[in-house]
Amino acid sequence: MERTIENLRQLIRAGRALTPADTVILNGNLVNVMTSEIYPADVAIFQDMIVAVGDVSAYRGPKTQVIDASGSYLVPGLIDGHIHSECSKLSITSFAKAIVPSGTTSMVSGLDEYISVSGLEGLKEVFAEIKQSPLKVFWGAPYKTPYTFPTSTISCNFNPEIHEQVQQWPECFGVWETVREAVQELDEDTLGALSLAYKNRLPIFGCAPMARGNDLNGYLCGGVRLDHESYDHQEVVEKLRKGMHMVIRESSVTHFLAENIRAVTQVNPALARRVSFCTDDVTAKDVVEKGHVDHLVRLAIKAGVAPMTAIQMGTINSAEAYRIDHLVGSISPGRIADILLVDDPATFKVHTVITNGKLVARNKKLTYDLRAPKRSSLLSSALKCNLTVAKDFEYRVQLANGKAKVLSMEVKGPFVRKRRDVTLDVVDHVVHSDTKQDVLMVSVLERFGINGNKSLAFCSGWGLKAGAMASSAAPDDNNIIVLGANAQDMAVAVNHLITEGGGQVVVKDGKILDFLPLPVGGIVCDLEPQEVARREDGINASARLLGCDLPEPLMYMFFLPITAIPDYAITDVGPVDCVALTTFDPILELIEHT
C-alpha cells in the first residue's frame, strides 16, 4: 500500500492508458457498491491497483494477462471489521489460507493477543508475516493492554508513551477496541490514547456491549466512532441514531446477526448504509465448513436483506466505517485491486479471488504455496512458569472441617457469567469442588515469568464429571487457564502445557486425552486450517467425554479472563467482579460442624 513519487508517476500513467495494464478482467458484471448498480464492465489492473473500469480495450498490451469473467459478477474483496484472528488458533499465514479463498481480503485487528505474549518486537514480526500473505490487516493500536480491570499480567503493557510511537507507524489505522468501562471510569491511560488519536486524526474503534442512554452518550463524547457489540437490535438502532457506525458480529459462539439485522429489516432499511460485518472470534472448523464474511453476507440475504445491500455491508460500509475506503471496499480506479468473482449476488458463492492485483485463489484453494516464516525466539512458546502440584489447585481455608458457602461463576453462554451461591464441603482445610452440583475449580497462572501469580475460584456450567482442561491461549492476557473436577488432573494439564510450550489439553485420571499444540507464542500454530479444524473436533470431543455439553468447551473456557464480560471473570490477580471492577473473595461464609 506504500505510494512513492515514482510509484505514483507509474500509476497515473497507467490510469491514462499510457502504460499497458498488467491484468484485465473481461466479460464480467460489475457490482458497483458505490452506486448500487450492476452492469457489464471490464477492469484494468496495474501493479496492485485498479486503474480503469468499463471499456478497457485501450489498456491492453501484448503482455497483459486476461482473466475471463464470463457468467460471473465482480465484487470488491470482503472486509472483516473486527477480528482477533488469534482465537482461531491459526497464525496469520494459516488464517490467510483459511479466509482468503472465501473472499475475505482485508481485516481490521489489533493483533492484541500477539502483543500480550511478544510485545512490540513480536508485533513487528507479525507485520512482516502479513506483508508476505495475500491478506491485508488494517491494524488498530490497542487503547491499552491489558484490557482487564484490575490490571492482569502480560508481557507488554500498552500505555500513552507507546501510543506516541505506534500511532505514527504506517500500519496504524486507528485505536482498537476501546471498551466502555475504561472510558466511563476516566482511566488515565485510555484518555491519553484517545487524546493522541484526536491529535493524529485517527478514528477510535469501540467495544460497548449493552451501552444505552446516558452511559452511551458519555462514551460517544470520548470520540468513539463505531462499535461491534450489541446484544439486541434496539441497541443497534439507538447507537446508529446517535451517529455510530455499527459492526454486526457473528462469531463461532455469539450468533448476533439474526437479532441485530432486525434493525435494518424491521425498523428502518435506511440504517443499512452504516452497518457492516465482523466475526470477532472464529474457530478454524467454522471457517473451513461455512466460510467467513461471505457466510455473513449469505446470512443477511437469508434474513431478508437485499443482495446489493448485504454486499455493501461486507465491503464499502466497512471501509467507510474505518476510513479506509480510499484503499479498499470498492472496484474503482485508485483502489487496491481486491476483486472477487462470484456466481450470483443472491447466492454469493465466491469462486475466484484476486488480491493486490494477483489471482491468488480458485475454487476455495490458494493458487500457490504459502508458507509461514521461520519463527524467532520472540514468538517461541516457552511458558515461563514453574511446574505445578495438586496442592496448587486446592482452595485452602482456616476452617478444618465443615461447610463453605461460595460464589461460583456460572456460564450463561460465552459472554455472560452470573452469580451462583452454593455450599461445598470443607475437609482438612480444603474446599472441595462438587461435580454433582456442577461446581469446578478454576485457576489462572501467570506465564511470562514476571510475578508467578496464581488465582483460584469456582465455576459452574461446564458439566464436567471428571478430569480437567487447560489452555495457554486465553484472551485478553493469554496466561494459562485451567478448570477441572479435581486438583490432580488440573496439575497434570498445566504441566503438560508448560512442558510442551503451550496449547490446549484435556486430561482424565492423570492421562492426556487430547492435546492441540500452539507453538507460536503459545496461542497459534502454522498447521493447515483443515488440520486445525479436525483437531478442534477431537479436543472438543474429549471435553465431552468429561461430561461437558457446551458447543465450544475450550473457547467458552478461554473467555473466562475477559473482564469486560458481565458479571464475573478470573485473571491471574484473582476472581473479578466485572461490575464493581475489583477482585472478590469467592468464600462467602465458613460453617463449622456442630
Side-chain angles (χ1 to χ4, degrees):
M1 292 183 287
E2 189 175 348
R3 296 288 181 248
T4 64
I5 292 175
E6 179 55 33
N7 174 243
L8 287 169
R9 183 179 289 114
Q10 294 174 351
L11 290 169
I12 292 167
R13 286 181 57 82
R16 297 179 63 207
L18 300 177
T19 302
D22 295 318
T23 304
V24 293
I25 305 172
L26 305 180
N27 306 316
N29 293 297
L30 177 70
V31 178
N32 192 324
V33 295
M34 306 292 279
T35 62
S36 300
E37 297 175 285
I38 298 176
Y39 49 85
D42 301 331
V43 179
I45 299 168
F46 179 77
Q47 295 180 354
D48 64 347
M49 183 182 281
I50 298 165
V51 293
V53 178
D55 179 2
V56 301
S57 55
Y59 293 80
R60 293 182 64 174
K63 296 183 180 180
T64 301
Q65 177 189 9
V66 176
I67 297 174
D68 185 3
S70 296
S72 296
Y73 290 79
L74 308 183
V75 173
L78 301 172
I79 303 167
D80 189 323
H82 181 98
I83 185 167
H84 303 262
S85 64
E86 305 94 315
C87 289
S88 70
K89 302 174 287 297
L90 299 170
S91 68
I92 285 292
T93 299
S94 295
F95 197 64
K97 292 179 182 179
I99 69 171
V100 170
S102 293
T104 303
T105 58
S106 297
M107 70 183 195
V108 181
S109 178
L111 303 172
D112 35 354
E113 314 306 336
Y114 288 108
I115 294 169
S116 72
V117 300
S118 65
L120 294 187
E121 293 307 310
L123 176 63
K124 290 177 182 177
E125 289 196 13
V126 177
F127 285 154
E129 182 180 359
I130 291 166
K131 288 181 180 179
Q132 296 175 15
S133 85
L135 176 66
K136 279 180 284 300
V137 179
F138 293 92
W139 180 65
Y143 76 97
K144 67 179 290 184
T145 60
Y147 303 145
T148 48
F149 288 93
T151 302
S152 59
T153 308
I154 61 173
S155 69
C156 174
N157 289 58
F158 241 70
N159 53 36
E161 288 71 32
I162 290 178
H163 271 277
E164 287 271 13
Q165 173 187 350
V166 302
Q167 287 192 23
Q168 302 299 323
W169 289 0
E171 295 90 352
C172 186
F173 285 84
V175 175
W176 166 262
E177 196 154 18
T178 309
V179 303
R180 173 166 61 104
E181 292 82 359
V183 176
Q184 196 168 293
E185 297 299 314
L186 305 177
D187 175 73
E188 197 75 12
D189 284 348
T190 302
L191 298 184
L194 303 190
S195 176
L196 284 168
Y198 268 93
K199 177 182 175 182
N200 293 318
R201 298 182 176 87
L202 291 174
I204 299 166
F205 316 151
C207 175
M210 296 179 281
R212 306 289 295 269
N214 293 350
D215 285 344
L216 176 58
N217 295 337
Y219 183 63
L220 291 173
C221 287
V224 179
R225 178 176 175 84
L226 53 88
D227 183 34
H228 71 284
E229 295 240 21
S230 292
Y231 278 53
D232 59 47
H233 75 280
Q234 292 95 340
E235 185 180 341
V236 172
V237 170
E238 181 177 352
K239 289 173 176 175
L240 285 165
R241 286 174 173 169
K242 289 183 175 178
M244 299 187 87
H245 290 265
M246 286 308 304
V247 187
I248 290 181
R249 176 174 70 187
E250 178 76 10
S251 79
S252 289
V253 293
T254 51
H255 304 291
F256 286 175
L257 188 145
E259 166 59 26
N260 286 349
I261 205 71
R262 292 171 63 195
V264 173
T265 59
Q266 296 181 15
V267 177
N268 183 359
L271 297 177
R273 200 61 182 84
R274 292 172 69 87
V275 173
S276 55
F277 296 134
C278 78
T279 62
D280 204 352
D281 309 300
V282 288
T283 62
K285 177 180 171 64
D286 265 6
V287 175
V288 167
E289 293 183 354
K290 299 177 182 177
H292 192 232
V293 178
D294 60 316
H295 172 57
L296 275 59
V297 171
R298 290 190 291 270
L299 286 178
I301 293 171
K302 185 177 180 180
V305 176
M308 173 63 77
T309 302
I311 293 169
Q312 288 172 323
M313 289 175 174
T315 57
I316 189 63
N317 292 11
S318 188
E320 289 180 349
Y322 286 95
R323 292 185 1 200
I324 54 176
D325 53 302
H326 62 299
L327 298 171
V328 294
S330 66
I331 300 176
S332 310
R335 271 63 167 194
I336 296 168
D338 291 350
I339 300 171
L340 314 180
L341 276 60
V342 305
D343 64 334
D344 186 275
T347 50
F348 205 76
K349 294 178 182 178
V350 179
H351 61 78
T352 302
V353 180
I354 297 163
T355 67
N356 303 316
K358 305 294 184 184
L359 196 157
V360 297
R362 280 192 189 277
N363 301 320
K364 302 299 181 182
K365 293 182 179 180
L366 290 183
T367 57
Y368 67 106
D369 185 18
L370 177 64
R371 297 188 179 185
K374 184 178 180 181
R375 305 294 178 184
S376 78
S377 59
L378 283 170
L379 285 171
S380 72
S381 56
L383 308 187
K384 300 175 183 177
C385 47
N386 296 325
L387 294 175
T388 64
V389 295
K391 285 187 177 180
D392 291 325
F393 304 105
E394 294 177 349
Y395 204 109
R396 305 188 71 83
V397 293
Q398 289 185 338
L399 179 66
N401 295 286
K403 299 285 187 181
K405 291 184 178 180
V406 308
L407 188 160
S408 181
M409 302 177 291
E410 184 168 26
V411 64
K412 297 285 190 181
F415 288 124
V416 178
R417 275 96 58 160
K418 292 296 183 181
R419 173 173 177 161
R420 180 179 172 219
D421 292 357
V422 293
T423 301
L424 303 175
D425 291 329
V426 179
V427 181
D428 294 332
H429 298 281
V430 176
V431 182
H432 284 254
S433 57
D434 187 346
T435 58
K436 291 182 180 179
Q437 295 191 75
D438 188 20
V439 180
L440 306 174
M441 292 301 306
V442 60
S443 178
V444 174
L445 296 84
E446 184 271 319
R447 59 104 154 177
F448 303 107
I450 295 173
N451 52 37
N453 282 350
K454 177 178 66 64
S455 62
L456 276 174
F458 304 91
C459 64
S460 300
W462 271 265
L464 266 63
K465 304 301 181 187
M469 52 191 193
S471 176
S472 61
D476 291 314
D477 49 29
N478 291 294
N479 286 307
I480 297 173
I481 184 164
V482 56
L483 62 78
N486 65 81
Q488 291 81 10
D489 282 345
M490 292 173 73
V492 171
V494 169
N495 290 344
H496 191 75
L497 295 184
I498 295 170
T499 302
E500 297 296 323
Q504 296 184 332
V505 65
V506 176
V507 174
K508 183 181 181 184
D509 298 331
K511 297 180 180 179
I512 308 300
L513 296 186
D514 209 338
F515 173 58
L516 172 57
L518 300 175
V520 183
I523 57 174
V524 297
C525 66
D526 290 320
L527 295 174
E528 293 296 317
Q530 293 78 6
E531 173 64 11
V532 176
R534 185 186 69 78
R535 299 183 77 158
E536 284 176 342
D537 268 345
I539 202 164
N540 283 334
S542 294
R544 293 188 183 101
L545 289 176
L546 304 183
C548 184
D549 60 359
L550 295 175
E552 291 288 342
L554 277 295
M555 187 172 255
Y556 271 58
M557 179 184 69
F558 78 31
F559 285 146
L560 273 172
I562 301 177
T563 61
I565 296 175
D567 292 330
Y568 298 97
I570 183 170
T571 71
D572 68 297
V573 300
V576 177
D577 181 328
C578 302
V579 178
L581 301 178
T582 184
T583 56
F584 67 91
D585 185 350
I587 305 297
L588 303 174
E589 182 182 358
L590 294 173
I591 305 167
E592 190 171 3
H593 280 317
T594 56

